[in-house]
Amino acid sequence: MRATVRGRDGRPGGDMPGRGTTGWIVPAMFLLVLLAAAASATTPPVFVLQWGSAGNGPGQFANPEGIAVSRAGDVYVADTENYRVQRFTSTGAFVTAWGSYGTGDDQFGAPFAVAVNQQGEVYVLDANNMRVQKFTADGQFILKWGSYGALPGQFSAPRGIAVDPEGSVYVLDYYLMRVQKFSPIGTFLGMWGSSGSGDGQFTLPVSIAVDRAFHVYVADSRLWRVQKFTDTGEFLLKWGSYGTGPGQLAGQISLAVDGFGNVYAASSARNDVQEFTPQGEYVLGWGEAGSGPGELQRPVGLGIDDAGGIYVLDNAYYPRVMKYFSPATPARPTTWGRIKALYR
């Protein structure tokens, strides 16, 4: 299924003026900084800290499924079976929580995913209530949209949510096998996707992420691949297959993108996180099964801050957030081709 998707200029499939490759000038000093750090580009992130445990108190979780990090470094966790969202500092200190079970404003049937826009406003995907709710950074209700169904603006089993740099919201539907795009206030802008294994098709998609160049990445949980699109749904490329080797995926796949377009994919059945270039080339992977510090047991969510922090939401017997630090994260693009790709 596909509908015309409105671009950022309001036209079908429109684009932002001046986004062509030749229209960008990269400062020489910026390039020198990137190239100087290239030697550490394949160093795995270092485990820093962890927080969380099973329960319903502040800082505890019950089957958490989603995580997001704001530009300011605040960490938001969709605490699914506690029917709430919790906010933490980048060092894991509890800040606030909001939500309860129900269908009213500020209530949830199953908060499954969370995303944060450039202004720090929080979008919560309320899966069982088939809607999106928007809040301030401290949990004050702003608005909502969505209902059950297959029409534009409706949902059947929403599982992923992401926000682009201009505030457009993308919602991924697990059963309807599609991506829908909305304005910041919930106005339907378009959709793409259908059931299948071809380019632009999905089989039970579970995660979505958007980079700063408006590329949309979708993870397919039954085809074990990542597909890359423009923000209007034009297919660009794909990578991945089932397995335990480098670049392969297994189980529930969670996505995040850093500030330079590098894509991170957590595989719940592999208990690891892998990093890819914006073109889908494997860079490195880390993680092993276990309950110790830095070890993983069913990672289901990823978030990345602007300071090199990578946050992994682990959901098994010991639900927790683990933070890793990657000093090379801001310096991954080390060739002209990769730098230019960010601005296409």
Side-chain angles (χ1 to χ4, degrees), residues 326-338:
S326 177
T329 296
R332 299 281 186 196
T334 57
T335 68
W336 277 104
R338 293 182 67 185

Side-chain angles (χ1 to χ4, degrees), residues 68-76 87-90 95 116 120 137 305 311:
V69 184
S70 73
R71 296 295 301 274
D74 295 309
V75 181
Y76 295 86
R87 176 184 170 186
F88 303 90
T89 68
S90 62
V95 177
V116 187
D305 66 25
Y311 303 80

Side-chain angles (χ1 to χ4, degrees), residues 101-327:
Y101 180 76
T103 60
D105 298 345
D106 190 29
Q107 293 185 311
F108 304 111
F112 205 87
V114 61
V116 187
N117 66 17
Q118 300 286 311
Q119 292 73 43
E121 296 167 325
V122 182
Y123 293 87
V124 181
L125 187 59
D126 189 6
N128 285 1
N129 286 330
M130 309 296 173
R131 65 184 181 181
V132 175
Q133 295 193 68
K134 182 178 181 180
F135 301 89
T136 65
D138 57 0
Q140 298 300 309
F141 175 81
I142 298 175
L143 58 84
K144 63 186 176 184
W145 74 86
S147 61
Y148 176 76
L151 296 175
Q154 294 184 317
F155 309 116
S156 178
R159 286 294 182 270
I161 190 168
V163 183
D164 72 22
E166 293 186 351
S168 294
V169 181
Y170 303 77
V171 177
L172 183 63
D173 202 301
Y174 186 75
Y175 287 153
L176 295 178
M177 319 287 184
R178 69 186 185 187
V179 176
Q180 295 191 75
K181 181 178 179 179
F182 300 91
S183 75
I185 59 172
T187 302
F188 175 79
L189 299 178
M191 62 185 176
W192 72 87
S194 60
S195 177
S197 59
D199 296 345
Q201 294 184 312
F202 308 113
T203 302
L204 305 181
V206 291
S207 184
I208 188 168
V210 185
D211 68 19
R212 295 181 185 178
F214 298 90
H215 298 127
V216 181
Y217 298 85
V218 178
D220 217 334
S221 66
R222 288 297 177 267
L223 296 175
W224 299 287
R225 67 180 183 182
V226 177
Q227 295 189 74
K228 181 178 181 178
F229 302 90
T230 67
D231 63 334
T232 57
E234 177 186 351
F235 173 82
L236 296 175
L237 57 89
K238 62 186 176 185
W239 73 85
S241 61
Y242 177 78
T244 59
Q248 294 184 308
L249 305 165
Q252 181 174 327
I253 305 163
S254 303
L255 299 177
V257 186
D258 69 22
F260 287 88
N262 303 299
V263 183
Y264 297 76
S267 292
S268 65
R270 290 172 50 119
N271 292 306
D272 70 356
V273 179
Q274 298 180 79
E275 179 187 349
F276 301 88
T277 70
Q279 292 75 42
E281 301 161 345
Y282 174 81
V283 177
L284 59 84
W286 78 91
E288 58 181 291
S291 59
E295 296 178 328
L296 300 171
Q297 287 191 324
R298 193 176 177 265
V300 296
L302 287 173
I304 299 177
D305 66 25
D306 287 346
I310 301 172
Y311 303 80
V312 182
L313 180 62
D314 214 18
N315 179 355
Y317 301 107
Y318 309 99
R320 58 188 175 171
V321 176
M322 281 180 285
K323 181 179 180 179
Y324 303 82
F325 178 68
S326 177

